[in-house]
């Protein structure tokens, strides 16, 4: 679901998937902070962009426009496919807005205390895959802003044990910023818990950012079809080659069952 307040995504629901409470799976995390950014929201020197954008429709493409009448403006073109898990996005900024960052979002998704206590599960980490090298920024171990000067980025964004929400650029990025944000959460009768979430912001070249916003389950065939390093997001550890081999056999057997 899109909003014209900041021309951003305020909800990403994966059809056919549910959370622990059997609600539709939401991939936009609830973060009660004023500096929290939504996917595709601009981040300005003054804070997240809350401007109201004019919206028009061109088939399956939503076009958002804002301008101040003095040479500064932003145009976002977001194409939503009939099927699939990615959106084709082009953001063109001019004037002062050319230096604004484009956000991939803040946090991965809402999780339950039970899921957080699972020491085998990860949630809300950030991956920066640049030139085949992967840098993982761990949510719970990050207490200061990290900035990556990048070259050939394949994807950057959020991962957990089961899902990804990443930006796959088709135009060059200048840098990637990963910023930790901290807030307190109280669940029922429990003591307040301090949580760290990560915010991912992208700096483009000449105010232009083009790419795919890919929010999907970590299914091997789906990730492999995206090409490049995307399939490596499904981590089988040191048994990766063997695990993939047996996974393909099981999938083949399943077609005949």
């Amino acid at each position: 679901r899109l909003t014209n307040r900041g021309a951003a995504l305020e909800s990403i629901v994966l059809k056919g998937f549910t959370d622990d409470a059997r609600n539709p799976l939401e991939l936009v995390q609830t973060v009660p902070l004023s500096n929290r950014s939504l996917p595709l929201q601009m981040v300005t020197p003054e804070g997240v962009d809350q401007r109201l954008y004019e919206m028009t429709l061109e088939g399956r493409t939503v076009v958002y426009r804002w301008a101040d009448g003095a040479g500064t403006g932003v145009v976002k073109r977001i194409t939503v496919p009939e099927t699939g898990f990615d959106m084709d996005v082009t953001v063109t900024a001019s004037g002062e807005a050319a230096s604004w960052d484009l956000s991939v979002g803040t946090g991965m998704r809402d999780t339950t205390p039970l899921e957080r206590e699972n020491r085998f599960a990860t949630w809300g980490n950030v991956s920066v895959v640049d030139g085949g090298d992967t840098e993982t920024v761990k949510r719970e171990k990050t207490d200061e802003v990290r900035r990556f000067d990048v070259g050939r980025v394949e994807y950057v964004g959020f991962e957990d044990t089961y899902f990804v929400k990443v930006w796959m650029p088709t135009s060059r990025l200048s840098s990637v910023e990963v910023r930790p944000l901290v807030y307190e959460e109280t669940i029922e009768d429990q003591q307040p818990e301090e949580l760290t979430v990560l915010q991912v912001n992208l700096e483009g070249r000449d105010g232009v950012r083009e790419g795919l916003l890919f929010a999907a389950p970590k299914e091997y065939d789906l990730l492999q079809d995206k090409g490049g390093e995307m399939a490596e997001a499904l981590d089988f550890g040191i048994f990766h080659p063997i695990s993939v081999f047996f996974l393909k056999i099981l999938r083949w057997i399943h077609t005949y069952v």
Side-chain angles (χ1 to χ4, degrees), residues 5 14 20 27 31 82 100 103 106-107 124 135 148 158 160 170 175 185 191 201-202 205 223 245:
R5 175 72 67 181
L14 292 190
D20 289 349
L27 289 186
V31 180
E82 292 189 35
W100 297 352
S103 186
T106 306
E135 181 82 23
F148 300 88
F158 300 95
D160 65 15
T170 54
S175 64
E185 181 178 78
Q191 291 294 319
N201 301 323
L202 313 173
R205 293 176 182 270
L223 298 181
F245 174 73

Side-chain angles (χ1 to χ4, degrees), residues 211-223:
L212 299 175
L213 183 66
F214 181 62
K218 282 188 171 180
E219 295 181 353
Y220 181 76
D221 290 345
L222 175 63
L223 298 181

Side-chain angles (χ1 to χ4, degrees), residues 83-204:
T83 60
F85 296 93
D86 48 24
M87 286 170 278
D88 195 328
V89 180
T90 299
V91 178
T92 305
S94 57
E96 293 182 4
S99 64
W100 297 352
D101 290 344
L102 176 69
S103 186
V104 183
T106 306
M108 177 71 197
R109 61 186 176 92
D110 292 336
T111 53
T112 62
L114 183 63
E115 187 173 1
R116 293 176 202 156
E117 292 168 5
N118 184 348
R119 64 189 182 93
F120 298 107
T122 61
W123 56 279
N125 291 340
V126 167
S127 294
V128 181
V129 181
D130 181 25
D133 296 325
T134 300
E135 181 82 23
T136 300
V137 183
K138 295 186 177 181
R139 176 192 58 79
E140 71 278 8
K141 294 184 177 181
T142 302
D143 56 8
E144 60 183 19
V145 176
R146 295 192 60 183
R147 189 179 183 87
F148 300 88
D149 293 321
V150 293
R152 185 176 59 83
V153 175
E154 296 207 25
Y155 70 88
V156 54
F158 300 95
E159 292 189 48
D160 65 15
T161 308
Y162 310 106
F163 302 95
V164 296
K165 182 176 63 182
V166 299
W167 175 261
M168 304 178 70
T170 54
S171 65
R172 293 286 298 274
L173 298 175
S174 296
S175 64
V176 173
E177 178 190 81
V178 180
R179 179 178 295 273
L181 303 178
V182 180
Y183 68 97
E184 282 193 348
E185 181 178 78
T186 303
I187 300 177
E188 297 178 352
D189 298 329
Q190 300 180 24
Q191 291 294 319
E193 180 182 4
E194 191 174 84
L195 296 177
T196 298
V197 293
L198 300 177
Q199 181 185 76
V200 178
N201 301 323
L202 313 173
E203 181 182 336

Side-chain angles (χ1 to χ4, degrees), residues 235-251:
D235 185 13
F236 294 108
I238 62 174
F239 301 105
H240 187 93
I242 297 174
S243 299
V244 170
F245 174 73
F246 280 107
L247 177 62
K248 289 182 177 180
I249 290 178
L250 290 172
R251 296 286 296 250

Side-chain angles (χ1 to χ4, degrees), residues 5-30:
R5 175 72 67 181
L9 278 161
E10 60 181 4
S11 176
I12 303 174
V13 175
L14 292 190
K15 293 182 178 179
F17 294 87
T18 58
D19 59 20
D20 289 349
R22 298 189 180 278
N23 296 315
L25 186 74
E26 173 64 67
L27 289 186
V28 174
Q29 186 169 340
T30 303

Side-chain angles (χ1 to χ4, degrees), residues 24-48:
L25 186 74
E26 173 64 67
L27 289 186
V28 174
Q29 186 169 340
T30 303
V31 180
L33 296 172
S34 61
N35 55 345
R36 166 252 199 163
S37 58
L38 294 169
L40 305 185
Q41 193 167 23
M42 306 298 283
V43 179
T44 78
E46 292 75 34
V48 294

